[in-house]
């Protein structure tokens, strides 16, 4: 976008801001009328394992948000020489699922329990039986019911539960709302009414009544909103929470807060039926917009929605690139010990590119980047693991190829179910850090899925750009213009994408690797049992 035009749009309050809370980074993307990023900001953070739960503190949430926003504002000043006073719209997104419970005073009752926790197995199993609908352990309702079954003291004090994106939005606007895509990771959605399933809600209320609790399901859940619907405006208090300098004005409209799955679909224009995307970063998930319901309930498949309320089959694996990031840190330490100062992006590009030189089957090496448990493969507790035999071909190229193949391993297990259901998809798009290095992640995913994979020039922008597009849709949509039409016609119409077809050698090599991956799961499980 022309720099002078971008400056004028910022000064005129026409720019749109999207901020997403990822697992390891909070990212802000400011876009103009062309929908291209014109400024960005970020803040690195990390979850903590405390009291048996993966969590982020409220202090870290707000510190990270302010720092991320402040970095974006600083880039605007450096590039365009103007402050950010007003915006056309703002959107917030974050990791889906998890559990944030508040009392009547708005105080957090227990530390934020993220999607990463695998502590709700008993509750999820009971709810699946009750609803005859898949309720993954990550879902908010599973966390709530597990707390009820555990008879945790805070349960009687609950006034509101929401996700991380819903929490941020609530504090900044005063509105207890949630985008339908994020809401579909809290509780099942009625596809006709685009709201929580009333029959299932009634069944859950029976469980609430059995425990003598005063609240009911509908009392404590956020109101569901579709993409393009109003979701409140930035309050005076909210503006000060976001911008500590006091420059940002109140009154800016906000779009419904969404989960990272929904923003990934938007960022890849994968919201229409028979489209799909794979988002790969700290976790990895595939989203396929379905034409019809699956034939039965599969515990491995989440049934969620697009931000406009269409049915989606989602395969979610908890682990993807975290262990790769750790190994990159080791190589960076080595380089610095040798007196070399290398940019971290250069290290990743070099290591990822090296994987293309490896043997098709990874030379007999095996790894599991499981920092946490992995439901799809039956692993309850993670132990990052690397294994080789004495005669394995242990080279850097094979080492990196192994870790990149392994990052797709659990996802492949879930995708095989959709293959058996004969789910039809016309196009798969990849986005997220896994695809940032040209060709590498795209080529390996093509081998894993045995299908063409496309990557756009915005593949590395991820969900922050996706939620910015949803905010732009709120601010700029024409009457009756659907989200699908807005994205296809006004955002992605002229955007180039690179399509890559799978190579026969890679397909065969990945299949060989997966055979060993499945066999080696016994090693991963034994590591968790014997090493703590």
């Amino acid at each position: 976008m022309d720099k002078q035009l971008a400056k004028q749009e910022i000064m005129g309050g026409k720019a749109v801001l999207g901020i997403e809370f990822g697992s390891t980074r909070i990212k802000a993307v400011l876009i103009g009328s062309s929908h291209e990023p014109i400024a960005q900001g970020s803040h690195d953070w990390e979850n903590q394992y405390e009291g048996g739960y993966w969590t982020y503190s409220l202090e870290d949430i707000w510190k990270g948000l302010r720092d991320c926003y402040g970095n974006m504002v600083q880039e605007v000043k450096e590039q365009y020489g103007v402050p950010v006073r007003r915006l056309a719209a703002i959107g917030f997104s974050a990791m889906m699922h998890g559990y944030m419970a508040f009392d009547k005073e708005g105080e957090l009752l227990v530390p934020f329990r993220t999607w990463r926790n695998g502590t709700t197995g008993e509750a999820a199993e009971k709810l699946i039986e009750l609803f005859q609908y898949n309720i993954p352990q990550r879902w908010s309702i599973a966390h709530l019911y597990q707390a009820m079954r555990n008879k945790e003291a805070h349960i009687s004090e609950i006034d509101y539960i929401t996700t991380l994106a819903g929490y941020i939005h609530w504090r900044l606007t005063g509105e207890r709302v949630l985008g339908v895509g994020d809401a579909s990771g809290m509780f099942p959605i009625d596809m006709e009414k685009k709201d929580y399933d009333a029959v299932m809600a009634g069944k859950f209320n029976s469980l609430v009544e059995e425990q003598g609790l005063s609240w009911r399901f509908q009392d404590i859940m956020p109101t569901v909103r579709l993409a393009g619907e109003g979701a409140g405006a930035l309050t005076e208090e909210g503006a000060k929470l976001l911008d500590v300098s006091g420059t940002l004005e109140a009154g800016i409209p906000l779009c419904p807060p969404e989960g990272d799955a929904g923003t990934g679909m938007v960022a890849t224009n994968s919201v229409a039926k028979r489209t799909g995307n794979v988002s790969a970063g700290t976790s990895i998930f595939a989203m396929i917009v379905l034409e019809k319901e699956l034939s039965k309930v599969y515990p491995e498949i989440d049934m969620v929605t697009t931000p406009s309320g269409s049915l989606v089959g989602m395969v979610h694996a908890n682990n993807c690139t975290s262990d790769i990031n750790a190994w990159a840190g080791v190589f960076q330490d080595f380089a610095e010990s040798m007196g070399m100062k290398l940019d971290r992006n250069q290290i990743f590009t070099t290591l990822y590119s090296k994987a293309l030189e490896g043997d098709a089957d990874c030379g007999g090496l095996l790894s599991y980047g499981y920092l946490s448990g992995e439901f799809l493969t039956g692993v309850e507790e993670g132990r990052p693991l690397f294994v080789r035999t004495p005669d394995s071909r242990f080279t850097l190229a094979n080492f990196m190829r192994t870790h990149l193949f392994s990052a797709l391993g659990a996802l492949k297990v879930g995708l095989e179910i959709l293959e058996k259901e004969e789910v039809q998809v016309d196009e798969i798009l990849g986005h997220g850090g896994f695809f940032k290095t040209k060709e590498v992640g795209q080529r390996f995913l093509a081998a894993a899925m045995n299908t063409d994979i496309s990557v756009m020039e915005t593949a590395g922008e991820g969900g922050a750009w996706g939620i910015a597009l949803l905010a732009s849709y709120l601010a700029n949509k024409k009457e009756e213009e659907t989200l699908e039409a807005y994205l296809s016609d006004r955002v992605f119409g002229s955007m180039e994408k690179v399509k890559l077809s799978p190579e026969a050698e890679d397909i065969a090599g990945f299949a060989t690797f997966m055979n060993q991956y499945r066999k080696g799961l016994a090693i991963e499980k034994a590591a968790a049992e014997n090493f703590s």
Side-chain angles (χ1 to χ4, degrees):
M1 186 176 185
D2 177 75
K3 191 170 183 178
Q4 187 59 36
L5 177 58
K7 178 179 179 179
Q8 291 174 357
E9 292 190 353
I10 295 169
M11 292 177 64
K14 296 180 180 180
V16 172
L17 176 64
I19 298 180
E20 179 159 284
F21 286 72
S23 299
T24 59
R25 186 168 64 146
I26 305 169
K27 184 175 180 180
V29 172
L30 190 69
I31 64 174
S33 57
S34 67
H35 301 103
E36 298 172 3
I38 54 178
Q40 300 186 32
S42 66
H43 172 87
D44 292 334
W45 71 337
E46 189 56 78
N47 55 189
Q48 305 297 321
Y49 190 68
E50 298 176 355
Y53 294 97
W54 290 102
T55 188
Y56 299 87
S57 69
L58 293 186
E59 180 183 358
D60 285 345
I61 290 170
W62 290 107
K63 177 184 176 182
L65 175 60
R66 292 167 184 141
D67 186 51
C68 174
Y69 177 81
N71 289 336
M72 183 277 297
V73 168
Q74 183 60 35
E75 183 170 302
V76 168
K77 289 180 180 178
E78 292 173 356
Q79 285 202 46
Y80 308 103
V82 296
V84 177
R85 298 188 183 280
R86 185 159 184 85
L87 297 162
I90 302 175
F92 289 95
S93 61
M95 302 164 279
M96 285 179 71
H97 319 298
Y99 182 69
M100 299 190 81
F102 301 88
D103 64 17
K104 283 183 168 56
E105 283 69 48
E107 297 296 322
L108 188 66
L109 291 167
V110 291
F112 172 30
R113 297 171 182 175
T114 78
W115 60 270
R116 200 171 197 170
N117 291 288
T119 56
T120 64
E122 184 184 58
E125 183 179 341
K126 294 294 184 182
L127 290 174
I128 290 172
E129 182 181 349
L130 179 66
F131 295 161
Q132 289 299 294
Y133 194 95
N134 184 33
I135 305 295
Q137 291 191 41
R138 301 181 306 278
W139 282 30
S140 306
I141 197 65
H143 282 278
L144 173 59
Y145 187 45
Q146 190 66 56
M148 290 166 58
R149 293 182 66 86
N150 294 345
K151 300 192 182 303
E152 296 184 31
H154 78 275
I155 289 299
S156 62
E157 301 178 58
I158 292 176
D159 184 65
Y160 182 48
I161 68 169
T162 189
T163 64
L164 178 55
Y167 166 67
I168 297 295
H169 185 97
W170 174 38
R171 289 300 192 223
L172 296 185
T173 66
E175 299 289 336
R176 295 184 172 190
V177 300
L178 201 61
V180 65
D182 206 4
S184 70
M186 294 189 76
F187 194 86
I189 297 294
D190 182 324
M191 298 308 301
E192 296 265 335
K193 297 180 179 178
K194 311 296 185 188
D195 203 349
Y196 303 116
D197 188 288
V199 174
M200 296 184 200
K203 290 180 178 180
F204 187 77
N205 276 335
S206 296
L207 300 177
V208 175
E209 290 173 12
E210 288 175 8
Q211 294 202 10
L213 297 168
S214 60
W215 51 263
R216 295 295 178 264
F217 173 86
Q218 58 271 22
D219 301 329
I220 66 171
M221 295 289 286
T223 301
V224 177
R225 290 279 187 268
L226 301 180
E229 293 184 344
L234 190 67
T235 63
E236 292 284 354
E237 180 185 1
K240 293 175 183 176
L241 281 172
L242 180 58
D243 181 10
V244 293
S245 74
T247 304
L248 188 66
E249 298 176 4
I252 300 169
L254 270 72
C255 69
E258 266 297 348
D260 51 358
T263 57
M265 286 186 276
V266 171
T268 53
N269 193 24
S270 303
V271 296
K273 291 178 181 178
R274 294 175 66 98
T275 64
N277 77 91
V278 172
S279 175
T282 302
S283 64
I284 183 169
F285 46 86
M287 313 282 294
I288 309 296
V289 187
L290 303 176
E291 296 178 281
K292 60 182 180 180
E293 296 269 2
L294 300 181
S295 65
K296 64 178 184 178
V297 174
Y298 292 98
E300 300 88 350
I301 309 296
D302 291 24
M303 302 304 292
V304 293
T305 80
T306 69
S308 53
S310 296
L311 185 65
V312 174
M314 173 178 171
V315 180
H316 183 285
N318 289 345
N319 303 280
C320 186
T321 61
S322 292
D323 198 39
I324 297 172
N325 296 344
W327 280 109
V330 170
F331 287 115
Q332 184 172 19
D333 286 346
F334 172 76
E336 291 176 353
S337 296
M338 295 292 290
M340 296 178 284
K341 294 293 183 182
L342 300 179
D343 178 78
R344 191 164 175 82
N345 288 330
Q346 182 183 355
I347 291 173
F348 276 105
T349 300
T350 300
L351 292 173
Y352 272 56
S353 298
K354 193 68 178 177
L356 294 176
E357 302 173 16
D359 296 326
D361 64 354
C362 301
L365 307 182
L366 183 62
S367 75
Y368 297 94
Y370 289 8
L371 267 72
S372 60
E374 195 61 78
F375 169 76
L376 288 168
T377 53
V379 175
E380 294 184 1
E381 195 173 345
R383 295 292 185 275
L385 188 67
F386 175 74
V387 184
R388 66 187 177 99
T389 63
D391 59 348
S392 296
R393 295 178 294 282
F394 189 30
T395 65
L396 178 60
N398 280 339
F399 180 80
M400 287 308 304
R401 192 180 184 97
T402 297
H403 284 290
L404 291 168
F405 270 25
S406 181
L408 302 172
L411 181 76
K412 176 64 175 177
V413 172
L415 286 172
E416 288 172 348
I417 295 172
L418 294 180
E419 292 172 13
K420 291 176 183 176
E421 282 275 337
E422 298 183 349
V423 170
Q424 300 296 311
V425 59
D426 296 327
E427 186 174 34
I428 294 287
L429 291 106
H431 80 116
F434 188 79
F435 301 101
K436 200 165 186 179
T437 300
K438 185 179 179 181
E439 183 185 347
V440 183
Q442 184 181 7
R443 176 171 157 181
F444 293 165
L445 180 63
M449 298 187 70
N450 193 13
T451 191
D452 293 349
I453 304 295
S454 297
V455 171
M456 298 180 182
E457 60 188 23
T458 54
E461 299 298 343
W465 185 58
I467 191 64
L469 293 180
L470 285 172
S472 179
Y473 175 59
L474 170 71
N476 301 307
K477 71 181 178 73
K478 299 173 184 176
E479 189 175 356
E480 304 302 322
E481 184 177 24
T482 66
L483 176 63
E484 292 82 355
Y486 184 85
L487 294 176
S488 294
D489 300 341
R490 299 170 64 179
V491 178
F492 293 97
S494 60
M495 191 169 293
E496 292 186 6
K497 57 187 174 185
V498 177
K499 181 181 289 188
L500 192 150
S501 299
E503 299 181 10
E505 187 178 11
D506 286 340
I507 294 171
F510 191 85
T512 299
F513 173 83
M514 279 302 298
N515 287 335
Q516 190 58 60
Y517 181 91
R518 289 186 176 89
K519 293 177 184 177
L521 286 168
I523 308 172
E524 174 66 21
K525 293 173 183 176
E529 293 170 1
N530 297 283
F531 183 70
S532 60

